[in-house]
């Protein structure tokens, strides 16, 4: 596998704004696999780029033909979705050209929260009670029939985008209308489906794993020490290893494995979100991709392998030396956007970096560009990374570093066409 002509050739499906892609490209360079990047691009913006395939993921027929043509000229060893947007296309393309991956039906369920909920319910996986609704329903009447507190949730957005808790009918109606406006902007005006779920109280965790022949191999379990009780669900701190009791951690792993089986996932990365209360773990969502943002930097395996290296090795059929993480505790803080506006300045980064245990502070939001917080937004101000002797030390370092940061955000001025009086 070390000869150039024998290198595995992987196609990565991603988006132009992906946080994850650079880490996958770095990992590919370290393990010596050839990469072609397929970028979700509207036809009007498509153009030839070396090493990149610019295709419209929503035009399935054209996208599959482009992948067939690539495979005919440069045979592929695997197709891997870097982001949620490529999960279904990867499964369809692999089925089309005969590469191992998840069945298209399983990939669709990993993307569509209603399909996912139905499969969980059928398999007896603990998850919130739900109902499928549409924006064309009689909404004032609908909200009178809801059990509160509830969560209004889009079917296909990720990163808690569009997810809103409501505690009474008025809040529920306002949440639906807010979600409708968001979906109109993203998908175009029309009738949209959405879920109303029971709110599950409890402590939230995230599980990172690799699925191998249908078996979930757990890589890390992250605690989320900040409460996620709404009305919006912006994630902040992830810390690993988990401080939960061993029996609780084992139950979390068992529920995650049952959820992956229910959906039908057979291989590839797994990111799962669960809540734990007195009744045990509840599966909130799972995805057939790795952890979001830059958060994977928190994880190192064996002598110094990244999460992306493990994922690429599995996809390419290369040996994976170890799934054991290095000894230290690690954590990341996704810096939340406190308000809408234009980011003018960021101060205190040097002070934050000087905090004991802080490895890096990366501000990813560009200056002089608008910021949009949740539930409409889909990004963060940046990321803080820490490492230490134990999870409590890591969490304290992240909070101290965040307290050093100061963001200058000014109101955005909406421009309107000028009128000329004659």
């Amino acid at each position: 596998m070390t000869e150039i002509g024998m290198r595995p050739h992987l196609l990565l499906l991603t988006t132009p704004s992906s946080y994850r892609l650079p880490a996958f490209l770095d990992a590919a360079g370290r393990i010596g696999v050839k990469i072609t990047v397929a970028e979700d691009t509207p036809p009007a913006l498509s153009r030839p780029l070396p090493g990149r395939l610019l295709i419209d993921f929503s035009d399935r027929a054209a996208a599959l033909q482009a992948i067939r043509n690539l495979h005919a000229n440069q045979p592929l060893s695997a197709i891997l979705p870097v982001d949620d947007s490529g999960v279904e296309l990867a499964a369809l393309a692999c089925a089309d050209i005969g590469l191992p991956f998840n069945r298209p039906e399983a990939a669709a369920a990993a993307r569509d929260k209603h399909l996912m909920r139905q499969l969980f319910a059928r398999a007896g996986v603990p998850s919130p009670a739900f109902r499928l609704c549409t924006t064309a329903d009689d909404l004032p009447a609908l909200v009178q029939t809801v059990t509160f507190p509830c969560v209004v949730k889009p079917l296909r957005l990720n990163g808690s985008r569009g997810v809103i808790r409501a505690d009474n009918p008025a809040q529920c109606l306002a949440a639906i209308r807010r979600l409708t406006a968001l979906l109109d902007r993203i998908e175009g005006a029309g009738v949209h489906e959405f879920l109303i779920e029971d709110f599950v109280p409890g402590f939230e965790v995230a599980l990172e794993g690799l699925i191998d022949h249908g078996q979930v191999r757990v890589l890390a379990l992250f605690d989320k020490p900040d409460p996620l009780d709404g009305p919006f669900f912006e994630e902040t701190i992830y810390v690993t290893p988990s401080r939960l009791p061993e029996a609780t951690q084992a139950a979390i792993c068992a529920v995650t494995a049952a959820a992956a089986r229910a959906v039908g996932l057979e291989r590839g990365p797994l990111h799962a979100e669960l809540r734990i209360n007195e009744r045990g773990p509840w599966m909130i969502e799972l995805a057939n991709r790795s952890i979001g943002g830059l958060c994977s930097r928190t994880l190192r395996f064996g002598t110094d392998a990244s999460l992306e290296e493990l994922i690429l090795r599995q996809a390419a059929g290369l040996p994976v030396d170890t799934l054991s993480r290095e000894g230290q505790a690690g954590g990341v803080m996704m810096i939340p956007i406190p308000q809408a506006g234009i980011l003018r300045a960021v101060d205190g980064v040097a002070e934050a970096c000087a905090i004991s245990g802080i490895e890096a502070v990366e501000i990813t939001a560009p200056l002089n560009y608008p910021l949009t917080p949740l539930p409409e937004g889909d990004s963060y101000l940046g990321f803080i990374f820490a490492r230490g002797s134990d999870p409590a030390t890591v969490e304290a370092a992240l909070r101290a570093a965040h307290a050093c940061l100061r963001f200058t955000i000014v109101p955005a001025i909406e421009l309107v066409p000028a009128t000329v009086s004659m």
Side-chain angles (χ1 to χ4, degrees):
M1 287 290 188
T2 57
E3 295 295 324
I4 296 297
M6 299 292 290
R7 285 192 302 163
H9 178 202
L10 275 64
L11 179 65
L12 301 182
L13 305 184
T14 188
T15 63
S17 59
S18 174
Y19 280 112
R20 299 181 185 90
L21 180 61
F24 276 96
L25 296 179
D26 288 346
R30 285 195 296 272
I31 66 175
V33 298
K34 179 182 177 181
I35 293 292
T36 298
V37 174
E39 210 170 82
D40 189 8
T41 308
L45 299 179
S46 184
R47 64 201 183 283
L49 280 179
R52 301 231 168 181
L53 189 64
L54 303 186
I55 54 178
D56 182 357
F57 289 7
S58 65
D59 186 345
R60 294 286 171 79
L64 288 172
Q65 187 58 55
I67 294 172
R68 283 189 210 108
N69 294 342
L70 174 68
H71 182 61
N73 294 315
Q74 304 176 56
L76 294 165
S77 309
I79 302 172
L80 189 66
V82 172
D83 310 284
D84 287 288
S85 62
V87 167
E88 291 175 90
L89 179 58
L92 290 167
C94 285
D96 184 61
I97 63 180
L99 295 176
F101 196 57
N102 296 303
R103 292 179 297 106
E105 297 83 359
R111 285 284 289 128
D112 186 298
K113 295 177 177 63
H114 182 232
L115 293 175
M116 188 186 302
R117 284 281 179 266
Q118 290 178 303
L119 293 172
F120 289 166
R122 196 175 304 159
V125 176
S127 61
F130 65 95
R131 62 196 292 184
L132 181 66
C133 310
T134 82
T135 54
D137 292 340
D138 182 345
L139 299 180
L142 171 67
V143 299
Q144 297 299 326
T145 67
V146 173
T147 300
F148 295 101
C150 75
V151 175
V152 176
K153 180 179 289 187
L155 299 190
R156 299 177 68 85
L157 300 184
N158 51 38
S160 299
R161 195 178 188 192
V163 181
I164 307 172
R165 171 177 165 160
D167 293 337
N168 55 53
Q171 289 182 6
C172 189
L173 186 58
I176 294 169
R177 287 174 173 162
R178 191 165 182 175
L179 175 59
T180 300
L182 174 62
L183 294 175
D184 280 346
R185 289 198 296 273
I186 296 172
E187 301 173 1
V191 176
H192 307 287
E193 294 182 321
F194 63 94
L195 291 180
I196 295 181
E197 300 181 346
D198 286 357
F199 173 75
V200 177
F203 181 77
E204 192 156 314
V205 299
L207 184 145
E208 204 68 18
L210 270 180
I211 309 174
D212 186 23
H213 295 90
Q215 299 299 309
V216 175
R217 306 168 75 181
V218 177
L219 302 178
L221 183 63
F222 290 92
D223 289 341
K224 302 181 187 182
D226 284 339
L228 289 165
D229 292 330
F232 314 128
F233 296 88
E234 188 164 45
E235 297 183 302
T236 51
I237 294 178
Y238 275 40
V239 178
T240 191
S242 173
R243 286 167 276 186
L244 293 172
E246 290 297 326
T248 303
Q249 295 190 41
I252 290 167
C253 296
V255 169
T256 303
R261 287 194 301 272
V263 171
L265 296 177
E266 291 288 327
R267 61 187 291 124
L270 173 73
H271 179 75
E273 310 277 349
L274 302 94
R275 284 189 174 234
I276 298 90
N277 56 31
E278 67 281 357
R279 297 176 60 186
W282 296 73
M283 178 58 63
I284 302 302
E285 288 180 15
L286 60 76
N288 189 205
R289 46 92 177 156
S290 56
I291 193 170
L294 302 179
C295 299
S296 68
R297 293 189 191 179
T298 307
L299 302 175
R300 308 299 296 182
F301 301 88
T303 55
D304 195 31
S306 67
L307 173 63
E308 291 77 16
E309 286 182 49
L310 301 189
I311 294 170
L312 291 179
R313 282 184 172 278
Q314 185 205 46
L318 299 175
V320 176
D321 295 332
T322 180
L323 298 181
S324 298
R325 289 193 310 105
E326 66 174 19
Q328 280 194 307
V332 58
M333 182 174 192
M334 292 159 274
I335 305 171
I337 296 173
Q339 66 191 68
I342 305 296
L343 180 63
R344 293 299 192 204
V346 181
D347 297 297
V349 172
E351 298 168 50
C353 290
I355 298 291
S356 177
I358 296 298
E359 290 192 319
V361 176
E362 292 207 18
I363 305 301
T364 52
L367 294 179
N368 303 314
Y369 277 79
L371 300 173
T372 305
L374 281 177
E376 287 80 13
D378 62 351
S379 62
Y380 295 91
L381 287 170
F383 301 84
I384 307 171
F385 302 93
R387 207 164 294 276
S389 59
D390 59 80
T393 300
V394 170
E395 181 185 340
L398 291 170
R399 294 193 189 282
H402 183 240
C404 294
L405 300 177
R406 300 174 298 281
F407 298 95
T408 302
I409 301 171
V410 301
I413 300 174
E414 185 177 355
L415 299 179
V416 296
T419 57
V420 180
S421 57
M422 300 298 291

